[in-house]
Amino acid sequence: MKKWLIPVGIIVALIAIIAFWSIGIKNTALQHSQAVNKEWGNVQTAYQRRNDLIGNLVNTVKGAADFEKGTLTAVIEARAKATSVTIDPSNVTPEQLAAFNQAQSGVSSSLSRLLVSVEQYPTLKANENFLKLQDELASTENQILTARTRFNEAVQVYNGYILKIPNNWFLSEYKEKPYFEASTGADKPVEVKF
């Protein structure tokens, strides 16, 4: 009667080991997925900071100079478009990330035009509030770069974990997440006109 207990005990032990191993794999995948979500939140926070600063910058420019309305309007519209694009990091697709990136590129482009046209207004260039906002925008652009880099690093860890064998046997519900990529044309040199 005791002879059959040993094989049953071994089978139960193997099933328990495989179950705990599978649970460990799923829990680690969940941790990596949450890290990606956190880093995406950091990206959004950096972009939100830029959008907030742009509002202050536009108001400072409006108050300090009789500025070109088309330039200010382009910045305001690009900012509105960028804030309307939202992404759920747990279900992000490459297309959603591309749309978000395109909207943010529009903000960067219109903001660059604004800052270039400021050169024609010496009183604005000497305005202390404007100079402070300009420095804060430069700092925020660095924060955006850092946040995007960290997001991509978290995606790399997550994708590497869920795609490797044997993890992918247990993680069919976890999907590969896209990386944040450079805007189209970012590889070309910027044309500077004076």
Side-chain angles (χ1 to χ4, degrees), residues 12-33:
V12 168
L14 285 175
I15 290 172
I17 289 170
I18 291 171
F20 284 119
W21 181 51
S22 170
I23 290 169
I25 288 173
K26 288 186 182 241
N27 284 340
T28 303
L30 179 63
Q31 279 180 317
H32 292 310
S33 179

Side-chain angles (χ1 to χ4, degrees), residues 58-183:
V58 166
N59 288 334
T60 301
V61 170
K62 274 185 193 176
D66 183 21
F67 213 72
E68 293 95 357
K69 288 186 179 181
T71 305
L72 289 175
T73 303
V75 172
I76 293 167
E77 287 174 358
R79 178 180 171 229
K81 183 177 179 185
T83 57
S84 70
V85 178
T86 57
I87 293 178
D88 175 10
S90 60
N91 296 318
V92 67
T93 65
E95 294 79 19
Q96 290 172 328
L97 207 50
F100 180 85
N101 199 21
Q102 183 179 12
Q104 295 301 332
S105 294
V107 173
S108 296
S109 175
S110 62
L111 188 58
S112 294
R113 285 192 303 274
L114 173 69
L115 294 175
V116 166
S117 60
V118 160
E119 295 298 317
Q120 301 169 14
Y121 296 89
T123 57
L124 184 57
K125 286 175 28 180
N127 182 309
E128 195 174 311
N129 286 340
F130 178 79
L131 294 174
K132 183 178 178 197
L133 286 168
Q134 199 173 12
D135 285 344
E136 285 187 39
L137 272 171
S139 170
T140 300
E141 291 298 328
N142 288 334
Q143 289 174 357
I144 289 170
L145 172 64
T146 301
R148 287 174 57 164
T149 301
R150 288 182 181 158
F151 171 77
N152 281 346
E153 289 168 353
V155 168
Q156 178 187 13
V157 170
Y158 169 83
N159 286 348
Y161 187 80
I162 67 158
L163 294 175
K164 73 180 177 182
I165 295 175
N167 296 357
N168 63 354
W169 298 341
F170 300 100
L171 300 173
S172 61
E173 70 271 19
Y174 287 88
K175 304 297 179 216
E176 186 175 3
K177 295 184 189 257
Y179 290 96
F180 211 117
E181 297 178 358
S183 303

